[in-house]
C-alpha cells in the first residue's frame, strides 16, 4: 500500500482514536475524582470515616480494575447498546473504555490525596472549615500536580486500551492495524500505526510532565486563611501548669 493510500486511512482512524480517548478520559475524570475523594475521606482516621462505605466502594473499584479489558468489552455489549445505541465503532468503544478507566483513575486520585500534608487539613478544621471547604480549598489544590500526573497515566493507558477496542470493532488505529496490517498483510501500514501510537503516548507523557513541573515549580499554596491557621496550630501550645512552691 502506497503512502497516498495510507494517508486517509491514518487520518480518519487517528481521529477515531482521539475521539475515544478524549471522551473516555472526560468521563474517567468526571466520575473518578468524586470516587477517589470519597475513598480518601471515608478511610480510617479521615474526615468522614466510614468503614462500610470505604470497603464497599473499594471492592467495586478493585473489581473494575482487575477485569480484563477485552472481556469487559464483551460483557458490556448489552449495556453499551442501551446507553449509546451501538456496541461497535468509536462511540460504542467509549462506554467500556470509560468504565475501565474510572476505577483506575479513582485509585490514583486516592493516592494523590494521601500525599497532602495532614497539617493543612487540621488547620482548616480548626478554623471551622467544613468538608466541602477542605476538599476544594485544601485537598484538590494541594494534590493538583499529582492529579495531573494521574490524568497523564490514565490517558496513556486509554490509548493502549483503545487499540484493543479497535481490534474487536471499536475503530481507530487498533482496528486499522488489525484489519489492514494483520489480516491483509500490509506490514508497512502496521509499522506506521505502531509508530503513531508510540508518538501519541510520548507526546502525552511529555505534555503531562511539563504541566506537572510547572505546577510543582509554581507551588500549589493553600489559601491565606489556611496558612494562618496552620501557623497558629504549630506555634500555639497549652499554657504550662505551675504548682505553688
Amino acid at each position: 500500500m502506497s503512502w497516498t493510500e495510507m494517508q486517509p486511512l491514518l487520518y480518519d482512524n487517528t481521529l477515531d482514536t482521539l475521539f475515544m480517548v478524549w471522551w473516555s478520559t472526560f468521563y474517567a475524570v468526571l466520575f473518578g475524582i468524586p470516587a477517589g475523594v470519597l475513598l480518601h475521606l471515608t478511610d480510617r482516621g479521615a474526615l468522614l470515616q466510614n468503614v462500610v462505605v470505604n470497603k464497599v466502594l473499594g471492592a467495586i473499584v478493585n473489581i473494575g480494575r482487575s477485569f480484563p479489558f477485552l472481556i469487559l468489552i464483551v460483557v458490556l455489549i448489552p449495556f453499551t447498546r442501551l446507553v449509546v445505541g451501538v456496541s461497535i465503532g468509536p462511540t460504542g468503544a467509549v462506554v467500556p473504555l470509560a468504565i475501565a478507566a474510572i476505577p483506575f483513575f479513582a485509585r490514583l486520585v486516592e493516592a494523590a490525596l494521601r500525599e497532602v500534608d495532614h497539617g493543612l487539613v487540621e488547620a482548616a478544621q480548626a478554623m471551622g472549615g467544613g468538608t466541602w471547604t477542605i476538599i476544594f480549598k485544601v485537598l484538590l489544590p494541594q494534590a493538583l500536580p499529582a492529579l495531573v500526573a494521574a490524568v497523564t497515566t490514565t490517558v496513556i493507558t486509554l490509548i493502549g486500551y483503545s487499540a484493543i477496542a479497535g481490534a474487536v470493532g471499536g475503530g481507530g488505529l487498533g482496528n486499522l492495524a488489525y484489519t489492514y496490517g494483520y489480516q491483509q498483510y500490509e506490514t508497512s501500514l502496521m509499522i506506521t500505526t505502531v509508530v503513531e501510537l508510540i508518538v501519541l503516548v510520548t507526546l502525552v507523557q511529555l505534555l503531562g510532565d511539563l504541566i506537572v513541573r510547572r505546577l510543582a515549580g509554581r507551588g500549589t499554596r493553600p489559601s491565606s486563611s489556611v496558612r494562618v491557621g496552620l501557623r497558629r496550630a504549630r506555634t500555639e501550645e497549652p499554657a504550662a501548669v505551675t504548682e505553688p512552691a
Side-chain angles (χ1 to χ4, degrees):
M1 182 180 291
S2 66
W3 174 248
T4 304
E5 294 173 313
M6 282 195 292
Q7 273 187 312
L9 290 173
L10 288 169
Y11 178 77
D12 292 340
N13 285 277
T14 299
L15 291 182
D16 288 343
T17 294
L18 295 177
F19 173 86
M20 290 186 286
V21 172
W22 167 261
W23 283 109
S24 54
T25 302
F26 172 79
Y27 289 117
V29 173
L30 181 65
F31 295 103
I33 287 181
V37 170
L38 188 59
L39 280 169
H40 176 70
L41 292 180
T42 56
D43 201 2
R44 294 184 184 277
L47 292 175
L48 305 177
Q49 177 178 316
N50 190 313
V51 176
V52 175
V53 172
N54 187 267
K55 293 297 183 184
V56 171
L57 182 57
I60 295 172
V61 167
N62 289 339
I63 292 172
R65 291 177 62 200
S66 61
F67 224 94
F69 181 66
L70 189 58
I71 298 176
L72 183 66
I73 295 175
V74 178
V75 170
L76 290 176
I77 285 176
F79 178 73
T80 301
R81 190 179 290 115
L82 177 66
V83 173
V84 296
V86 295
S87 59
I88 59 174
T91 302
V94 168
V95 175
L97 283 169
I99 291 177
I102 288 170
F104 177 81
F105 184 67
R107 281 299 186 192
L108 295 179
V109 172
E110 181 191 19
L113 296 179
R114 283 178 180 170
E115 300 301 318
V116 176
D117 184 0
H118 190 64
L120 294 174
V121 177
E122 291 178 342
Q125 285 181 294
M127 291 161 40
T131 302
W132 292 110
T133 299
I134 292 172
I135 291 172
F136 290 105
K137 298 294 185 181
V138 180
L139 290 176
L140 293 179
Q142 290 299 300
L144 189 56
L147 291 176
V148 172
V151 172
T152 303
T153 302
T154 303
V155 171
I156 291 173
T157 301
L158 284 170
I159 291 174
Y161 280 177
S162 71
I164 298 174
V168 291
L173 293 172
N175 179 66
L176 182 64
Y178 180 74
T179 303
Y180 288 89
Y182 177 73
Q183 291 187 328
Q184 298 186 21
Y185 303 102
E186 293 287 351
T187 306
S188 60
L189 180 59
M190 178 177 285
I191 293 174
T192 303
T193 304
V194 171
V195 170
E196 184 171 353
L197 287 170
I198 293 172
V199 170
L200 280 176
V201 168
T202 303
L203 290 176
V204 170
Q205 187 66 65
L206 290 174
L207 179 61
D209 290 345
L210 176 63
I211 296 174
V212 169
R213 284 197 298 270
R214 290 284 180 87
L215 291 173
R218 186 178 62 187
T220 51
R221 302 180 65 190
S223 62
S224 58
S225 58
V226 174
R227 293 199 301 272
V228 170
L230 180 60
R231 285 197 295 269
R232 287 178 179 173
R234 288 177 175 174
T235 57
E236 289 181 357
E237 295 180 357
V241 178
T242 58
E243 297 183 357

